[in-house]
Amino acid sequence: MLKKDRFKLFLDYFTRNFPEPETELHYRNPYELLVAVILSAQCTDKRINLVTPLLFERFPDPQSLAASNVEEVFTYIKSVSYPNNKSKHLIGMARMLVEHFNSEIPATVEELQKLPGVGRKTANVVVSVVYNQPAMAVDTHVFRVSRRLGLVPMTASTPLAVEMGLLKYLPKFLVYKAHHWLILHGRYICIARNPKCPECPLTSFCKYFEDNVKTGLLQS
C-alpha cells in the first residue's frame, strides 16, 4: 500500500468517527495548559488532572507562581513523576513569563522552548492546542502508533524524524487533530504491550497488523 493511501484511510476514519478530538488534560487557559503539559512529562494525564485543581487554585496565573518558591510548589505536585525537577521548572517558567513575556504565553515553538521545562514536544502541544498551529507533538504514543500503522517508516528512530514524516503527508489544517487521534489510539487501543488488534478499526491498513498479526494467523 502506498503511504499516501495509508494516510488517506487514517484521516478518513478519524474525521468520520472522531471529528473533534481534544486533549484529556484539564485546563481553562493557555497558562494552565502549559503548566499541565510540563507536569505530564512521563506521567499520566489522569494523575495530572488530580493534582492541578489545587495547584491552579493557589497559583491562578504566572505572577502568583513566579512569586512562590520551589519548596511550596513541591507540596502541590509531590505525587507526580520527578516533582523536584518539575517544581524548579514551573518556578523558572513562571518567572521568565513575567520578566520577558509580559505574563503571556508565547505563540511560537521557538519562544516557548526558551522557557525552563519546555522542550519541543511541550511547545508543539501548546501551539497546536491553544493556537491551532500545524505542529505535531511526538510523545510515546504518537511515536509508537505512527510507526506501527506505517505512516512513518520504522527507520524513523527519533521523535523529530517521526514529526517530519507525519508533517510531510498530513494536511496542515488536520495536524492538530491528528496529534490527538494518534495519542488517544495509542492510549486505549494500540498500547505498548499486547496491542488490542482484535478491537482495532484500523487493521485494514495497519502495517504492524499485516506484518505480524495477520501473517501469524495465516500460518496457524
Side-chain angles (χ1 to χ4, degrees):
M1 180 181 293
L2 294 176
K3 189 168 293 186
K4 65 177 183 179
D5 297 326
R6 206 181 297 273
F7 269 89
K8 183 179 185 305
L9 291 168
F10 168 79
L11 294 173
D12 285 350
Y13 172 79
F14 281 106
T15 53
R16 185 172 64 253
N17 292 281
F18 301 98
E20 299 299 333
E22 296 181 346
T23 178
E24 292 187 320
L25 288 171
H26 297 165
Y27 72 98
R28 294 168 297 186
N29 53 58
Y31 158 73
E32 289 189 357
L33 177 65
L34 177 56
V35 170
V37 176
I38 290 174
L39 290 174
S40 72
Q42 295 180 284
C43 196
T44 65
D45 288 359
K46 184 178 181 180
R47 165 58 54 187
I48 302 308
N49 290 336
L50 292 173
V51 167
T52 50
L54 286 178
L55 181 70
F56 293 148
E57 182 179 336
R58 170 63 183 86
F59 308 112
D61 49 43
Q63 296 94 325
S64 57
L65 184 55
S68 184
N69 56 66
V70 171
E71 292 74 22
E72 183 184 13
V73 172
F74 178 87
T75 64
Y76 287 89
I77 67 168
K78 58 186 178 182
S79 65
V80 309
S81 60
Y82 308 107
N84 288 304
N85 284 339
K86 289 178 180 178
S87 297
K88 295 174 185 175
H89 289 156
L90 289 181
I91 291 294
M93 175 274 293
R95 289 176 178 172
M96 184 172 285
L97 283 179
V98 172
E99 294 170 8
H100 299 285
F101 294 99
N102 196 32
S103 298
E104 297 292 329
I105 307 303
T108 69
V109 169
E110 293 73 24
E111 286 187 316
L112 280 163
Q113 287 187 100
K114 296 176 182 177
L115 301 172
V118 178
R120 185 175 182 86
K121 184 192 78 173
T122 296
N124 278 339
V125 170
V126 173
V127 300
S128 172
V129 174
V130 174
Y131 302 111
N132 287 345
Q133 294 182 20
M136 175 57 68
V138 179
D139 69 352
T140 182
H141 299 302
V142 174
F143 187 83
R144 178 177 67 256
V145 174
S146 58
R147 285 163 34 110
R148 280 182 177 170
L149 286 175
L151 298 178
V152 299
M154 293 302 289
T155 53
S157 58
T158 66
L160 183 59
V162 170
E163 177 186 338
M164 294 300 104
L166 291 171
L167 291 178
K168 183 177 179 180
Y169 287 90
L170 288 170
K172 285 187 176 182
F173 73 97
L174 285 177
V175 169
Y176 77 100
K177 290 186 178 183
H179 161 71
H180 294 306
W181 290 330
L182 289 165
I183 285 179
L184 295 173
H185 192 68
R187 187 171 289 163
Y188 298 109
I189 302 294
C190 194
I191 56 180
R193 296 182 181 181
N194 302 316
K196 302 175 183 179
C197 296
E199 301 175 26
C200 181
L202 311 182
T203 54
S204 63
F205 61 88
C206 175
K207 198 168 190 316
Y208 175 89
F209 183 83
E210 181 181 341
D211 294 345
N212 296 277
V213 183
K214 188 176 180 180
T215 301
L217 290 173
L218 291 174
Q219 291 177 345
S220 61

